[in-house]
Amino acid sequence: AGKYIEPGLAMVHRALHVTPEDTLEQQPFISRRGNVMTWDGRLDNRDELVAQLWRDLDHDTTDVAIALGAYEKWGVEGFRRLIGDWSLVVWDAERQAVVLASDYMGVRPLHYLVRPDSVSWSTTLECLVHVHELYNEIEPHYLVGLLSNARPAGLTPYKGVFAVETAHSVTVSREGA
């Protein structure tokens, strides 16, 4: 487990090691530029990305370092270069924004809740529902979509809680935009 805390920001990560490289990761991962990332995933094209990013990685070739290196070099467009199953969250220190993203298959879910004074996220829906006590906050559009077999992408059963859609990113500024 790891945490990163600064005024107005708290990021917590609990690891589940899947690949041999996972045991080398320190998360949340902090770059030289001050950006912070939590990563849940596996990269299948790590050798290709290391060859493209070797100057930017400081000899750290863990998946989280490679993914943050791709973001810092190419912005959110860099996420399309990450082949594998993953979801991630970046605190972009310069932009003062949180970036949430999911791979093209959506194997590793990422849920989020934006409120006037905060943004919360988790790879498990249950965590957000529990922390914010949303058990009775049912989203009617989700129920209608479920019953009609036409559930809109990104909707969850709970009001205000969304899933990052597959192959998408969501950016939330410090002001909540």
Side-chain angles (χ1 to χ4, degrees), residues 74-94:
W74 300 298
V76 293
E77 293 301 315
F79 297 149
R80 70 179 64 223
R81 297 172 186 244
L82 306 177
I83 308 298
D85 61 317
W86 53 268
S87 63
L88 60 81
V89 178
V90 176
W91 166 247
D92 188 315
E94 183 179 330

Side-chain angles (χ1 to χ4, degrees), residues 18 72 128:
V18 178
E72 289 182 343
L128 284 178

Side-chain angles (χ1 to χ4, degrees), residues 86-89 99-103 105-112 121-122 153-156 161-171:
W86 53 268
S87 63
L88 60 81
V89 178
V99 180
L100 305 103
S102 177
D103 69 40
M105 292 292 291
V107 173
R108 300 188 190 231
L110 184 58
H111 303 91
Y112 65 98
W121 62 86
S122 178
L155 222 54
T156 72
V161 179
F162 298 93
V164 176
E165 294 182 46
T166 60
H168 281 79
S169 67
V170 175
T171 302

